[in-house]
Amino acid sequence: MNIKGIFKPEFWDADAKSAGPYKQLFDYKRIWQLCIGILVAVSLVPILIMASIDFSVTRGAIISENTLEAARTTSNTRRSVSYFLEERKSALQLLVELHDFRSFHDREKLSQMLKSLKNSFGGFVDLGVINSKGKQVAYVGPYKLEGREYAGQDWFKQTVEQGIYISEVFLGFRDSPHIVIAVKHMLDETNNHFKILRATLDTRQFNGILSSLDLSAGEDVFLVNREGVLQTPSKWNGEIFSKVGFELPEKSFRTKVEEISYRKGDLAMVGYAYLKNTPFVLLYVKTEEEFMGGWQSSRDTVTWFTVVSIAVIILVMWAVASYLVDRIYMADMTRSKALQQMEHHNRMASIGRLAAGVAHEINNPLAIINEKAGLLKDLFTFSKAYEADDRLLGLVDSVIGSVERCGRITKRLLGFSRQTDMELRPVYPRKVIDTVLSFLDKEAEYRCIDIDVEVDEGIYEVVTDRGKLEQVLLNLINNAFQAMKDGGALLVRVERGDRQVLFSVKDNGCGIPESDLKRIFEPFYSTKKQSGGTGLGLSITYGLVQDLGGDMKVQSQLGKGTEFSFSLPVVPNMNGES
């Protein structure tokens, strides 16, 4: 089977309807489709199911691993930031508890406290003391803020109410990002007399906690306030004080991890925690490309490999199914051809026996009639009583002529169907054609069909089987008669070829559609089944020509006529290969 045969095998156009009630057994296309369907279902479905399960399990494992990593990083960072702020808040509380608040007005002593804080904890910028009316009564630091009024500001009100206040990152009078921690200390609870120790923290150490984390290129950790405004630098969300481009998760002081839509709809894994007693929300972001990139790359590789494997498997299944079904088809065709030949031989043998019996039963009476007619003719010829009666002699000649004609007919019949085995002997094409036409001359005369026979000069004899050649010509001429209307024209031509003799039978009948020409020599294929055609005539004729070592072709135009031509070797191959 060649490449073309794999994609369109010979059985593809086979007509299952010609098999009659057993057409399902000979529907080769359906058998092929069933084979392909079963092979695909058995071999590919388990592969696809296993691949799907593997994808799902691997994806789940990777998501789980990254979720744990995000929760661990977020939790550790949350503790670091909370410890940083708690540590400095506790230092301020310790100062107000250990020292008399009246000593805070001593600028030198307040400066000594600020110096101690810077040396012990770092990050402190200045210290200030605010009285209960909101006026900063003492201040040490790089700015001139002594005497500044804070009574109307929000941080002052919250410190008075809550006792402790930690601010967001803001610019303030300094026009520089900083954080304020304020601690309220009651001096006289009866008269609600208090003072507030207020310290300013540099954000560099605060930002250093996050920037010191060991993160990959696809990870980001930053702080925002409760409105989503950045409090620390971020890789992808802009500068500090910019608002992030997604909604904050629901409030939770415990570390949580969620998948959210991030940056133009891309998915990202977000670990977050709201820091207690602060306005800060810690966010850890890892893009899907980062945490699923490895899995997606492996998935694409496995997908391509799977697709290519499936394509190869389907191609192999296609070729195997086509080859097997094609072998079945060829075996059935060979068996069908053998059955046809057996049927043909049996029929010819039956005709031969019938013809021999008919000839024997007819020839004996004919011999007697011929003998008696000859005797009567002699009597009439030599008797003086009938010597001059030409009428009686004419009647006797007529009887003798009819007997001879009957004898020739029975002889032709016996000669046509005498044997079915191959018997090669020299035959004259013209005589064979005349013999065949003698069976049809009455029909041709009745239907006014004009028959013309052309035989090239120099063609004397062909070594072939006369009986088979007669049957080939008889079948073709019979078909031509059926295709032509009354008054048609038939041309039987014999030409000389290269060590071959070319026979052709051409009519001007109805012609054959182009779609039927490819299958016209197939067994049981007939366009005249409704009118009694069996679809075996041309198939048998084609087989007979091949038995004689020849080849057969057909040309036809619908509405203009058909020409069957076949070639026979002048001397056939005596090795029996033909």
Side-chain angles (χ1 to χ4, degrees):
M1 180 181 291
N2 53 24
I3 299 297
K4 183 180 179 182
I6 292 176
F7 293 99
K8 189 176 181 182
E10 293 185 20
F11 63 82
W12 200 255
D13 295 326
D15 185 12
K17 295 179 181 179
S18 60
Y22 305 103
K23 60 184 180 181
Q24 291 184 347
L25 299 176
F26 299 94
D27 191 349
Y28 302 99
K29 186 187 293 185
R30 183 174 174 274
I31 294 173
W32 178 87
Q33 291 170 344
L34 188 61
C35 290
I36 287 290
I38 293 175
L39 290 174
V40 169
V42 170
S43 59
L44 295 186
V45 171
I47 293 176
L48 295 176
I49 291 176
M50 291 299 295
S52 176
I53 293 174
D54 180 68
F55 280 161
S56 178
V57 171
T58 305
R59 186 176 188 277
I62 291 176
I63 291 176
S64 177
E65 180 183 350
N66 281 273
T67 300
L68 291 175
E69 182 184 354
R72 184 167 55 250
T73 303
T74 305
S75 182
N76 291 339
T77 308
R78 176 178 62 84
R79 282 194 290 271
S80 298
V81 174
S82 298
Y83 177 76
F84 176 86
L85 296 173
E86 189 67 26
E87 186 181 50
R88 282 145 185 80
K89 183 188 73 176
S90 300
L92 294 179
Q93 286 178 320
L94 182 63
L95 283 179
V96 298
E97 292 293 336
L98 294 179
H99 296 275
D100 183 0
F101 228 118
R102 287 173 295 184
S103 63
F104 285 21
H105 292 280
D106 184 348
R107 186 178 180 82
E108 185 177 348
K109 195 169 185 177
L110 193 61
S111 298
Q112 187 63 38
M113 292 180 185
L114 177 60
K115 184 178 180 181
S116 299
L117 289 173
K118 286 183 178 178
N119 293 334
S120 301
F121 303 99
F124 283 94
V125 178
D126 58 18
L127 278 177
V129 179
I130 295 93
N131 62 18
S132 56
K133 295 181 180 178
K135 182 177 180 181
Q136 185 155 264
V137 295
Y139 173 80
V140 289
Y143 302 100
K144 296 179 179 180
L145 299 177
E146 188 171 349
R148 182 77 64 177
E149 294 288 344
Y150 295 107
Q153 296 191 6
D154 186 61
W155 72 268
F156 179 77
K157 296 177 182 177
Q158 290 189 35
T159 306
V160 172
E161 293 176 359
Q162 301 172 2
I164 295 175
Y165 171 77
I166 299 176
S167 74
E168 302 175 355
V169 177
F170 67 102
L171 296 176
F173 296 122
R174 298 169 178 79
D175 196 22
S176 173
H178 61 281
I179 299 173
V180 168
I181 300 178
V183 178
K184 176 184 176 184
H185 180 68
M186 293 298 298
L187 299 175
D188 184 359
E189 293 187 3
T190 306
N191 297 318
N192 193 26
H193 183 58
F194 63 87
K195 286 189 177 178
I196 295 174
L197 180 61
R198 181 178 185 269
T200 302
L201 301 179
D202 189 350
T203 57
R204 285 179 297 179
Q205 284 197 357
F206 191 63
N207 295 338
I209 298 173
L210 305 183
S211 62
S212 62
L213 296 174
D214 186 14
L215 301 176
S216 64
E219 295 175 300
D220 192 12
V221 176
F222 51 90
L223 288 169
V224 298
N225 63 12
R226 304 298 172 88
E227 286 74 35
V229 177
L230 283 172
Q231 303 293 288
T232 59
S234 170
K235 289 183 181 177
W236 310 310
N237 293 280
E239 299 295 332
I240 190 170
F241 302 130
S242 300
K243 190 167 184 177
V244 295
F246 57 93
E247 294 185 2
L248 294 181
E250 62 178 0
K251 188 174 182 180
S252 172
F253 294 109
R254 295 177 61 84
T255 300
K256 287 188 174 181
V257 178
E258 293 181 356
E259 283 192 45
I260 64 170
S261 180
Y262 189 71
R263 287 192 308 172
K264 299 180 180 179
D266 295 337
L267 289 178
M269 181 175 290
V270 174
Y272 69 96
Y274 285 68
L275 305 185
K276 282 184 180 179
N277 301 320
T278 73
F280 300 117
V281 180
L282 175 65
L283 292 172
Y284 165 88
V285 178
K286 191 171 187 177
T287 60
E288 184 184 37
E289 183 181 1
E290 176 69 18
F291 71 87
M292 296 299 293
W295 176 80
Q296 290 172 345
S297 177
S298 301
R299 180 198 61 185
D300 294 342
T301 303
V302 173
T303 299
W304 277 111
F305 182 77
T306 304
V307 169
V308 172
S309 300
I310 289 175
V312 172
I313 291 172
I314 291 178
L315 183 61
V316 171
M317 291 178 182
W318 185 295
V320 171
S322 299
Y323 176 79
L324 292 178
V325 177
D326 194 61
R327 293 296 93 188
I328 296 173
Y329 171 75
M330 296 303 296
D332 287 346
M333 290 298 101
T334 304
R335 189 183 302 111
S336 175
K337 186 175 181 181
L339 292 175
Q340 293 168 32
Q341 290 179 346
M342 291 176 62
E343 180 186 356
H344 169 69
H345 290 311
N346 290 334
R347 185 170 61 178
M348 295 304 295
S350 299
I351 293 174
R353 288 193 295 271
L354 179 63
V358 170
H360 176 75
E361 294 299 329
I362 293 178
N363 281 338
N364 288 338
L366 286 178
I368 296 172
I369 295 172
N370 188 46
E371 180 183 351
K372 301 301 180 186
L375 180 59
L376 286 175
K377 185 176 180 181
D378 291 341
L379 291 175
F380 291 156
T381 302
F382 297 106
S383 175
K384 294 183 180 180
Y386 304 100
E387 184 178 8
D389 194 343
D390 296 332
R391 179 170 171 272
L392 288 176
L393 291 176
L395 290 175
V396 174
D397 289 337
S398 178
V399 171
I400 293 173
S402 297
V403 170
E404 290 177 350
R405 185 167 179 272
C406 288
R408 287 196 300 272
I409 292 174
T410 55
K411 186 178 180 180
R412 289 172 184 170
L413 184 61
L414 284 171
F416 179 74
S417 57
R418 181 171 296 156
Q419 56 185 351
T420 57
D421 297 332
M422 183 79 74
E423 182 182 356
L424 299 179
R425 60 178 178 176
V427 297
Y428 294 93
R430 181 65 195 227
K431 290 185 177 180
V432 174
I433 294 172
D434 290 341
T435 301
V436 171
L437 291 177
S438 68
F439 292 103
L440 301 167
D441 54 358
K442 291 298 179 184
E443 181 179 354
E445 182 180 352
Y446 176 75
R447 294 176 57 189
C448 300
I449 293 176
D450 182 22
I451 300 176
D452 189 13
V453 180
E454 297 180 1
V455 180
D456 284 357
E457 295 183 357
I459 299 177
Y460 299 106
E461 58 185 24
V462 178
V463 179
T464 187
D465 185 286
R466 181 187 178 95
K468 293 182 183 296
L469 180 58
E470 287 178 342
Q471 188 174 356
V472 169
L473 291 170
L474 182 61
N475 287 345
L476 295 179
I477 294 173
N478 255 330
N479 283 344
F481 272 45
Q482 293 175 11
M484 289 187 295
K485 296 180 179 178
D486 293 349
L490 176 70
L491 172 63
V492 181
R493 181 170 176 76
V494 182
E495 300 174 272
R496 176 183 290 276
D498 182 16
R499 303 180 64 183
Q500 290 180 327
V501 177
L502 308 178
F503 294 80
S504 64
V505 178
K506 183 177 181 181
D507 65 65
N508 62 349
C510 58
I512 303 171
E514 187 175 356
S515 57
D516 294 332
L517 285 177
K518 298 179 182 177
R519 307 181 56 194
I520 199 166
F521 295 123
E522 290 183 9
F524 303 111
Y525 184 81
S526 173
T527 59
K528 299 180 290 184
K529 286 189 175 182
Q530 293 182 351
S531 58
T534 62
L536 291 174
L538 285 175
S539 174
I540 292 173
T541 303
Y542 187 82
L544 291 174
V545 172
Q546 287 188 321
D547 289 343
L548 296 175
D551 189 23
M552 189 169 185
K553 298 178 182 178
V554 59
Q555 293 180 339
S556 182
Q557 283 187 315
L558 200 60
K560 293 187 176 180
T562 305
E563 179 178 6
F564 285 92
S565 59
F566 62 95
S567 60
L568 293 180
V570 177
V571 179
N573 187 350
M574 301 305 293
N575 295 326
E577 296 178 357
S578 62

